[in-house]
Amino acid sequence: VADSGQMEKDFDNLGGNRIFLEKAKALNPETTTTVVQDRIVDRVRRFEISGEYANTFGGDTYVRTGTFGVNGQFHINNNWSVGARYGMSYNKLTAEGDDLVARAISDHQKNPSSSTAPVPDIDYPKNIMMGFVNFYPLYGKISWLGKSVTHFDVYGQLGYGTMSLKSGSAPVLSGGGGIGLWWNQNMTTRLQMNYLDYTAQYYNGSI
């Protein structure tokens, strides 16, 4: 009699169903056989917390922003979750921004009383707080060279919150999507792309 605990462990293993797979191969050893199973990672009424790093592209020409943060979400069921995130931003001038600053400094040194070289006007992000809702319409699994299997979720996200800028705070809307890769029952990696919509303030008005 097979050990029931071991059978359950084999069945629940990500990339599992080894028992069924071995039986299928035994029936027809000349045919390559794979198994597609129902959802193994159950997220009904489950809490998830994670650290994150985000980088920006587009937006301001003269600065690039990286954000370290943390987010938590509660999975209502396997298709919907709600959550919140907080992130602190770190900003760095682009090559173009560095060049403009260098020109302005050089011009000021040569003409301290009448320098005219422009200095880039930047309203950079400092931190962000946001609530969001995720919808997970697709679930599947990936075979890595036939050696292991990772389960994944594809999801969309909508969010709303507050962006703290050098000039003050501004409301921010977010929309995007991503994929979550489940390495085991308790560990996931998320790859996500979001579009953020907020208003930055400049000396000549807002854009």
Side-chain angles (χ1 to χ4, degrees), residues 101-117:
V101 171
R103 291 184 189 181
I105 292 174
S106 177
D107 183 56
H108 178 71
Q109 291 172 343
K110 293 176 182 178
N111 309 288
S113 61
S114 59
S115 55
T116 58

Side-chain angles (χ1 to χ4, degrees), residues 32-158:
T32 301
T33 305
T34 58
V35 175
V36 177
Q37 64 217 40
D38 291 334
R39 171 180 288 277
I40 294 298
V41 181
D42 185 22
R43 294 196 313 271
V44 178
R45 295 187 297 278
R46 182 170 177 175
F47 184 73
E48 177 184 335
I49 187 168
S50 61
E52 65 179 25
Y53 173 74
N55 210 340
T56 62
F57 59 92
D60 197 301
T61 305
Y62 305 119
V63 67
R64 288 293 175 266
T65 302
T67 301
F68 290 95
V70 61
N71 73 61
Q73 59 180 306
F74 177 72
H75 295 275
I76 301 168
N77 52 43
N78 288 319
N79 296 113
W80 293 94
S81 69
V82 294
R85 63 181 290 251
Y86 173 80
M88 295 186 64
S89 298
Y90 301 86
N91 302 278
K92 181 180 180 180
L93 288 175
T94 62
E96 188 173 357
D98 275 327
D99 184 60
L100 281 178
V101 171
R103 291 184 189 181
I105 292 174
S106 177
D107 183 56
H108 178 71
Q109 291 172 343
K110 293 176 182 178
N111 309 288
S113 61
S114 59
S115 55
T116 58
V119 177
D121 184 14
I122 301 168
D123 190 13
Y124 52 83
K126 297 170 68 176
N127 59 64
I128 182 172
M129 292 183 290
M130 177 178 293
F132 60 85
V133 57
N134 284 355
F135 174 58
Y136 300 81
L138 298 175
Y139 174 80
K141 64 180 184 176
I142 302 170
S143 174
W144 302 98
L145 301 176
K147 302 298 182 181
S148 63
V149 174
T150 301
H151 289 226
F152 68 89
D153 288 281
V154 176
Y155 62 93
Q157 182 181 100
L158 292 175

